[in-house]
Amino acid sequence: FFQHLYTKIRRKMMLSRFAGAIGRSSAWTNVSRNVVRANSRFVDESLLDKAVESQKSNELYFRNVDLDQVDFTTEDGYIRIVYKGETMPSLLHMSPFCITGVSYFQPNGDFGITQKFGATTFKVDDPTKTSLQISLSDRDPLTGESGSEEARDYGDWLFTFNDKLANYVADNLSDFPDLNNKFSFLKNASHEVLLEGIANAIPKPAKEWVSGKEGESPLMFINLKQHLYSKRRDMEKEPVIFTEFDETVSSTHYRNNVNLYDASGNRVPVDEAKVGNGDLVSCVLTLQPIIYSIGGNAGITVRRRMRNVTLLHKSERVNASSGPSSPLGNLTE
């Protein structure tokens, strides 16, 4: 009971601790770029209800993946997940339907798009360095207000996975020499302090963005980002070409394709597959614990990788800089 209470308190502290910094990172500073309309005027409520009921009966839905039955083991220096007695490299699950924040899920990923990280702006101009990005928020799909219970519970579920991983590493730190050396300064500390140090070293799965406007609740975001291309290892096997963009890197790289499905269950052609800010999506993704040591810098992370995405609704956007427009549209055209 006390460990569970400690975990909940620490999770709240972590969210509040990072809230001030979140607004300065690239995935969240651009939230106000567009006015996102996400309410019952645009989202088909009956379709959403049907989608939610379908998820509840799906074994991959996060609420049906019992983290009490998740454990870990170590094989050849790698952390593996043990779920219901079966050892696996990663845990497959499904997110709830969430309104997206700023996302770059499109045929060319984030190639050529100017992005902000803190006070710095950058643009990916190397096709092999491009990424697919989807940011899941806790905006209510019908009202657009923050605080969706399903999204918040999903964030807690991800934090619980991190907590279990941190506990395992803390209990078996000697199995990971580089990590053991990194946390050697805590060798005489209590187990709780060691656990806190390891837990804080694992990147947080959910973060909050605070607008600064009086009376406006903070928004939670779960940022999913992965490389669009991977380097070819088997040069004799020709990569599958999905788009003309793939052709430009096909001699050295192949596309890590993530299928996008529409509300009818049909796969959207790759050159038409787009998810942007304010869309309503659910992702099937994996959680994979990673212990790494790069140039003497050891660390631990949880790699989140999208396997497929279901798009339930495309949002209508009104550019914030354009102001209101007539309901009759442009009558001069």
Side-chain angles (χ1 to χ4, degrees):
F1 168 79
F2 289 108
Q3 178 63 41
H4 175 69
L5 179 62
Y6 166 77
T7 296
K8 292 188 70 175
I9 293 173
R10 184 171 61 78
R11 185 177 302 140
K12 290 181 179 179
M13 289 175 63
M14 285 190 292
L15 281 172
S16 61
R17 184 185 307 162
F18 284 85
I22 298 312
R24 294 192 292 273
S25 64
S26 62
W28 297 281
T29 48
N30 298 321
V31 168
S32 60
R33 179 184 298 170
N34 295 299
V35 176
V36 179
R37 294 186 174 182
N39 55 48
S40 56
R41 290 175 54 202
F42 299 98
V43 177
D44 185 333
E45 189 169 353
S46 62
L47 179 61
L48 177 59
D49 288 342
K50 183 177 180 180
V52 170
E53 287 302 313
S54 178
Q55 283 190 321
K56 288 179 179 178
S57 61
N58 192 300
E59 65 178 1
L60 291 180
Y61 193 50
F62 81 97
R63 292 193 183 279
N64 300 328
V65 179
D66 186 3
L67 292 183
D68 287 339
Q69 298 191 57
V70 169
D71 205 344
F72 301 92
T73 188
T74 304
E75 295 180 351
D76 300 323
Y78 295 95
I79 295 182
R80 302 301 187 196
I81 296 170
V82 181
Y83 182 56
K84 295 183 176 180
E86 181 181 350
T87 302
M88 56 193 69
S90 59
L91 185 65
L92 188 67
H93 71 282
M94 180 189 297
S95 79
F97 278 100
C98 297
I99 295 291
T100 57
V102 174
S103 300
Y104 305 115
F105 187 101
Q106 49 198 9
N108 297 353
D110 60 0
F111 179 77
I113 297 174
T114 300
Q115 303 176 60
K116 295 183 68 175
F117 188 84
T120 306
T121 59
F122 67 95
K123 181 164 61 176
V124 179
D125 54 11
D126 180 349
T128 65
K129 304 297 184 184
T130 55
S131 299
L132 291 176
Q133 299 183 43
I134 287 183
S135 182
L136 304 176
S137 80
D138 71 333
R139 287 189 183 277
D140 186 278
L142 296 179
T143 68
E145 300 296 322
S146 64
S148 163
E149 181 178 353
E150 205 73 0
R152 284 274 169 172
D153 285 352
Y154 178 52
D156 282 344
W157 185 87
L158 291 172
F159 268 110
T160 300
F161 182 89
N162 275 24
D163 290 340
K164 291 181 71 72
L165 176 60
N167 271 285
Y168 175 78
V169 173
D171 291 341
N172 300 274
L173 193 55
S174 60
D175 292 344
F176 313 104
D178 291 334
L179 273 184
N180 195 20
N181 182 59
K182 178 174 183 175
F183 291 105
S184 60
F185 69 98
L186 294 176
K187 64 181 179 180
N188 296 322
S190 65
H191 181 78
E192 287 73 16
V193 172
L194 175 62
L195 177 60
E196 182 80 11
I198 293 174
N200 285 334
I202 305 175
K204 308 302 176 285
K207 300 178 180 179
E208 288 191 330
W209 178 82
V210 181
S211 70
K213 296 180 180 178
E214 186 177 351
E216 189 167 298
S217 300
L219 282 169
M220 182 197 76
F221 288 94
I222 298 167
N223 197 35
L224 306 175
K225 180 179 180 179
Q226 61 199 65
H227 291 301
L228 181 58
Y229 295 104
S230 288
K231 197 166 185 177
R232 291 175 57 185
R233 300 188 184 279
D234 183 358
M235 300 305 292
E236 294 183 359
K237 183 179 180 181
E238 289 297 319
V240 178
I241 304 298
F242 294 93
T243 68
E244 291 183 3
F245 196 63
D246 295 351
E247 290 275 11
T248 64
V249 300
S250 61
S251 62
T252 57
H253 290 72
Y254 65 91
R255 186 184 190 95
N256 299 311
N257 191 51
V258 178
N259 283 328
L260 178 68
Y261 299 100
D262 61 23
S264 300
N266 299 315
R267 184 175 67 85
V268 179
V270 176
D271 56 1
E272 299 174 13
K274 296 181 180 181
V275 173
N277 186 8
D279 295 342
L280 183 57
V281 304
S282 170
C283 302
V284 171
L285 63 154
T286 56
L287 301 178
Q288 182 181 8
I290 300 291
I291 300 286
Y292 62 87
S293 181
I294 302 175
N297 180 33
I300 178 172
T301 189
V302 177
R303 180 181 291 165
R304 300 191 296 272
R305 288 291 180 264
M306 294 176 282
R307 291 295 179 252
N308 60 71
V309 179
T310 297
L311 175 64
L312 194 66
H313 174 78
K314 287 291 289 182
S315 75
E316 286 192 21
R317 297 177 180 82
V318 178
N319 191 297
S321 62
S322 67
S325 59
S326 167
L328 298 178
N330 186 347
L331 299 178
T332 63
E333 293 183 346

